[in-house]
Amino acid sequence: MDYKATIKSYFNFTKSQRLGLVLLLTLIVVFQIAFYFIDFSQPEKNASEKQQWLALQSEIDSLKQNVPTSSYKIYPFNPNFITDFKGYKLGMTVEQIDRLLAFRKQGKFANSPKEFQQVTGISDSLLNAISPYFKFPDWVNKKNSGAKSNWVDYSKTNYYKKEKVVILDINSATKEDLMKVYGIGDGLSERILKQKEVFGEFVSMEQMSDVWGLSPEVIEKLNQSFKIINNPKIKKVNINNASIKELGQFPYFRYPISKNIVTYRSMNGDIKIEDLTKIKDFPVDKIKIIALYLEF
């Protein structure tokens, strides 16, 4: 085969084909020149409107710079009763707040800025910044100043009597009884009573941690005033006979757990209290409380 003749045949053009190629090349060159020398950009129609927006933007930016930054305003307070939130806003670390709370749990009080620093371990700069707002009781101020003329320590007198704390049964507590606890208002007292209605009655004070909105500090105060005194009057759930629907009505169970209980029961026979931990997804962290509501 003559390869040269074959290749040469590809470059043999007729007169009209040669004319078309010349015309195509001419057009390409003309368009390239036009592309580099002619400005095809469209004139901006809304130039004046854009200038107005730019002027407004610069004014907005200047207003943003003049907006005062919000600051946490401090009012006089007793440093012995600082909450987690207030301590955080004052600039205290979590460890420093925890030291104060642990100190207070022992029934002790810091009676001067220096004692407060020794307990919490805050820096001198932070102490200087917040100590002007410390407000100690009058008797503490008089004691610290050495004044003895008007201050009397009534705790050492014969007629001084410490108020006795009356402990009530949480299941018989009224809304008014609950609101006597510092930190519990109208809303929290309603939640506690509604939670009791859900279970029939409480079986443990540990159930207070399930009430939304109760902080550990308030729960501690609740435990000082309320206990489970009388045997709770509750309708127990028979875990070996109840259906999935009946188990699902128990507040600590939901459909998946109820289904797992019935499945385990069908495969292993009657469930005993020690079998609860073997059930898939069973809330073992509350097993002591749940068991008191169950009948085996």
Side-chain angles (χ1 to χ4, degrees):
M1 180 182 291
D2 190 354
Y3 292 103
K4 291 184 179 180
T6 304
I7 294 173
K8 187 176 180 181
S9 65
Y10 287 112
F11 295 96
N12 289 332
F13 301 104
T14 62
K15 184 176 180 181
S16 60
Q17 288 174 335
R18 288 195 294 271
L19 182 62
L21 286 173
V22 172
L23 180 61
L24 177 62
L25 291 173
T26 303
L27 289 175
I28 291 174
V29 172
V30 171
F31 282 128
Q32 289 290 335
I33 295 173
F35 177 77
Y36 283 107
F37 291 98
I38 299 176
D39 185 9
F40 292 96
S41 61
Q42 295 291 332
E44 192 169 354
K45 297 181 181 179
N46 299 323
S48 60
E49 184 179 351
K50 183 177 181 180
Q51 291 297 327
Q52 292 178 0
W53 278 108
L54 290 175
L56 289 174
Q57 184 62 45
S58 61
E59 185 177 351
I60 292 171
D61 292 339
S62 63
L63 290 173
K64 285 182 179 179
Q65 294 176 357
N66 295 328
V67 174
T69 56
S70 59
S71 59
Y72 179 67
K73 189 173 182 180
I74 306 177
Y75 296 94
F77 63 95
N78 189 330
N80 289 290
F81 299 99
I82 289 178
T83 61
D84 290 340
F85 173 76
K86 189 172 184 66
Y88 166 76
K89 298 298 289 185
L90 291 174
M92 296 175 64
T93 64
V94 176
E95 292 78 11
Q96 293 167 350
I97 298 171
D98 288 342
R99 291 192 199 106
L100 177 62
L101 296 178
F103 181 75
R104 285 289 296 111
K105 283 184 179 180
Q106 300 174 21
K108 299 179 181 179
F109 293 85
N111 294 324
S112 69
K114 193 66 178 177
E115 288 183 19
F116 181 81
Q117 184 182 31
Q118 291 173 351
V119 172
T120 59
I122 62 174
S123 62
D124 292 336
S125 58
L126 181 57
L127 180 67
N128 293 333
I130 65 176
S131 60
Y133 300 97
F134 287 179
K135 184 178 180 181
F136 296 102
D138 292 337
W139 68 268
V140 172
N141 295 329
K142 292 177 181 179
K143 184 179 179 181
N144 291 337
S145 63
K148 298 181 180 179
S149 57
N150 297 324
W151 180 74
V152 179
D153 187 359
Y154 291 101
S155 63
K156 297 180 180 179
T157 59
N158 293 329
Y159 57 85
Y160 174 81
K161 294 182 180 179
K162 188 177 181 180
E163 184 179 354
K164 185 178 180 180
V165 177
V166 179
I167 298 179
L168 301 177
D169 191 321
I170 188 67
N171 289 313
S172 60
T174 63
K175 183 176 180 179
E176 291 72 21
D177 293 332
L178 294 170
M179 290 179 65
K180 291 179 182 178
V181 176
Y182 182 78
I184 295 182
D186 185 76
L188 285 176
S189 59
E190 286 284 354
R191 287 180 200 162
I192 294 172
L193 294 176
K194 286 182 180 178
Q195 188 81 340
K196 187 188 75 171
E197 290 179 7
V198 170
F199 289 97
E201 286 191 358
F202 294 118
V203 296
S204 171
M205 288 300 295
E206 293 181 16
Q207 291 176 274
M208 296 301 104
S209 60
D210 295 331
V211 180
W212 183 82
L214 287 182
S215 65
E217 294 80 12
V218 175
I219 293 176
E220 182 182 356
K221 293 182 182 299
L222 266 173
N223 287 323
Q224 294 172 1
S225 300
F226 299 95
K227 302 291 180 186
I228 305 293
I229 299 176
N230 301 316
N231 290 329
K233 300 176 181 177
I234 55 176
K235 183 180 179 181
K236 295 190 175 184
V237 179
N238 192 318
I239 195 170
N240 288 311
N241 293 324
S243 63
I244 294 179
K245 183 178 180 181
E246 290 170 337
L247 290 170
Q249 293 174 352
F250 181 55
Y252 285 118
F253 295 159
R254 290 295 180 265
Y255 176 78
I257 298 177
S258 302
K259 184 179 178 181
N260 292 339
I261 291 173
V262 174
T263 302
Y264 183 90
R265 192 174 68 196
S266 62
M267 295 177 64
N268 300 277
D270 286 350
I271 298 173
K272 301 179 180 61
I273 189 170
E274 57 268 20
D275 296 328
L276 296 179
T277 56
K278 302 174 184 177
I279 299 173
K280 183 181 178 182
D281 298 330
F282 195 89
V284 293
D285 57 322
K286 299 184 183 296
I287 195 168
K288 292 182 179 179
I289 296 174
I290 294 174
L292 296 175
Y293 286 101
L294 301 179
E295 181 180 351
F296 297 90

